[in-house]
């Protein structure tokens, strides 16, 4: 057994190793969060030495007379709905296909995963060039009308463009999570289903899908948070256009704080977003955790 002195030394070592991380997390995350809570109660342009305390006026203005914020919430909600469904359904389908013993499975996994390691800003600029210049060339070559459409100039098509590019970029990450979940499934359970005469669709929906509960919960949680926080792809691809039709909540906060120099009001919006994300996350996590099947 360890002596009291050895145990004290071990605890001291643990504290010394953890303390720098705690300090960094506190300085980088918690300190700005606490300051933003204070600034949300003030009127400050980011330049004045002292912010003016105005109480709850920013929140009153937010909930009573800011139609732009409401529009950004509607856009973000629509985006989150289509992004979550599209990314998870396609990623799961690809995972089921690539978990099979195909000769090109490893190559295809790498191909689908490569976009994820690219910066969203770079991805946005690449696709902006494709939509504006590449489609014009394809239209001249093929004569197909789909390439003549204004993918970034029409509000409806701009929304579709943002969703498609975001799904394309993140697809490989969710696919890898689903592949790991599929490879961890117990073979004896799947073989028993085959022996009992279960068809492939029945085996997938009745056995494979329920057993993938942890992977599905993880992917849904990540895709939900990523969709609500969407910013960089909009900044690079549409810059909120056309006519503000692709303003997400985070992009609206960015404009309010850094373009309109209204840091207090922007902080109030960010605090409301934090509460919304936290509430939705807790509800979804509890709902899906309760439905998971233990292996």
């Amino acid at each position: 057994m360890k002596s009291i002195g050895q145990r004290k030394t071990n605890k001291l070592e643990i504290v010394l190793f953890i303390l720098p991380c705690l300090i960094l997390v506190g300085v980088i995350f918690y300190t700005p969060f606490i300051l933003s809570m204070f600034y949300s109660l003030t009127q400050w342009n980011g330049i004045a030495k002292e912010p003016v305390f105005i109480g709850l006026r920013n929140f009153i203005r937010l909930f009573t007379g800011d139609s732009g914020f409401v529009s950004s919430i509607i856009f973000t909600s629509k985006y989150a709905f289509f992004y979550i469904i599209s990314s998870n359904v396609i990623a799961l389908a690809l995972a089921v296909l690539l978990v099979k013993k195909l000769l090109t499975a490893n190559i295809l996994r790498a191909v689908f995963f490569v976009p994820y390691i690219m910066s969203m800003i770079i991805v946005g600029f690449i696709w902006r060039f494709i939509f504006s210049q590449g489609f014009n060339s394809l239209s001249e070559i093929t004569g197909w009308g789909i390439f003549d459409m204004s993918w970034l100039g029409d509000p409806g098509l701009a929304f579709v463009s943002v969703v498609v590019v975001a799904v394309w970029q993140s697809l490989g990450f969710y696919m890898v999570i689903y592949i790991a979940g599929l490879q961890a499934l117990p073979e004896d359970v799947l073989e028993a289903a085959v022996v009992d005469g279960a068809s492939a669709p029945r085996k997938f929906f009745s056995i494979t899908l329920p057993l993938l509960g942890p992977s599905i919960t993880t992917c849904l949680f990540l895709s939900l948070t990523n969709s609500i926080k969407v910013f960089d792809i909009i900044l690079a691809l549409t810059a909120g256009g056309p006519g503000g039709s692709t303003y997400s909540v985070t992009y609206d906060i960015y404009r309010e704080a850094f373009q309109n120099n209204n840091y207090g009001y922007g902080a109030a919006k960010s605090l409301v977003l934090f509460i919304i994300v936290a509430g939705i996350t807790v509800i979804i996590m509890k709902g899906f955790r309760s439905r998971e099947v233990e292996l």
Side-chain angles (χ1 to χ4, degrees):
M1 296 180 64
K2 294 183 179 179
S3 64
I4 297 176
Q6 287 178 327
R7 281 183 283 183
K8 288 184 177 179
T9 301
N10 290 338
K11 290 181 179 179
L12 180 61
E13 290 177 351
I14 293 173
V15 171
L16 290 176
F17 278 111
I18 295 177
L19 190 60
C21 297
L22 293 177
I23 294 174
L24 285 174
V25 170
V27 171
I28 296 174
F29 292 101
Y30 294 111
T31 300
F33 178 73
I34 294 172
L35 288 175
S36 66
M37 294 176 64
F38 167 72
Y39 288 132
S40 67
L41 303 175
T42 66
Q43 183 178 356
W44 187 46
N45 59 7
I47 300 174
K49 292 183 178 180
E50 296 292 336
V52 179
F53 183 80
I54 59 174
L56 298 176
R57 292 182 189 175
N58 285 327
F59 295 97
I60 295 173
R61 174 188 170 189
L62 181 60
F63 290 111
T64 58
D66 194 336
S67 59
F69 188 68
V70 175
S71 299
S72 66
I73 290 179
I74 294 174
F75 169 82
T76 305
S77 301
K78 289 169 53 181
Y79 171 85
F81 176 79
F82 287 103
Y83 173 80
I84 292 171
I85 293 178
S86 301
S87 58
N88 281 278
V89 170
I90 298 174
L92 180 57
L94 289 174
V96 172
L97 177 64
L98 296 180
V99 80
K100 300 180 183 298
K101 296 180 180 179
L102 301 176
L103 294 177
T104 58
N106 292 331
I107 297 176
L108 290 174
R109 292 180 188 180
V111 168
F112 284 113
F113 190 77
V114 165
Y116 178 74
I117 64 178
M118 299 173 62
S119 168
M120 282 292 281
I121 294 293
I122 296 176
V123 169
F125 282 123
I126 290 174
W127 276 94
R128 187 173 184 175
F129 173 80
I130 292 174
F131 283 127
S132 59
Q133 303 295 329
F135 276 16
N136 289 337
S137 300
L138 289 174
S139 176
E140 295 176 358
I141 296 173
T142 62
W144 294 352
I146 190 173
F147 296 122
D148 286 329
M149 301 170 69
S150 181
W151 287 94
L152 299 181
D154 180 82
L157 292 177
F159 173 80
V160 174
S161 301
V162 171
V163 174
V164 168
V165 174
V167 170
W168 175 84
Q169 192 269 345
S170 59
L171 194 60
F173 177 69
Y174 304 126
M175 180 193 69
V176 169
I177 296 177
Y178 283 125
I179 288 175
L182 289 169
Q183 291 177 338
L185 296 181
E187 291 292 336
D188 54 344
V189 176
L190 300 176
E191 291 174 358
V194 175
V195 172
D196 290 341
S199 61
R202 179 65 181 274
K203 183 177 73 170
F204 177 77
F205 288 105
S206 299
I207 298 176
T208 302
L209 207 57
L211 292 177
L212 274 178
S215 299
I216 294 174
T217 301
T218 301
C219 289
L220 286 177
F221 170 74
L222 293 174
S223 58
L224 171 67
T225 54
N226 290 335
S227 60
I228 294 178
K229 297 185 299 182
V230 59
F231 169 75
D232 38 12
I233 189 65
I234 292 177
L235 178 66
L237 190 61
T238 65
S245 60
T246 56
Y247 281 161
S248 66
V249 176
T250 51
Y251 192 80
D252 183 67
I253 294 172
Y254 163 78
R255 288 179 59 253
E256 194 67 53
F258 299 102
Q259 293 184 352
N260 299 337
N261 293 326
N262 197 343
Y263 287 83
Y265 193 43
K269 289 183 176 183
S270 64
L271 187 59
V272 171
L273 175 62
F274 168 78
I275 295 173
I276 293 173
V277 172
I280 294 175
T281 301
V282 170
I283 293 172
I284 288 183
M285 290 296 289
K286 284 187 176 181
F288 279 93
R289 287 292 184 190
S290 63
R291 296 176 179 270
E292 290 182 5
V293 177
E294 295 184 0
L295 297 176

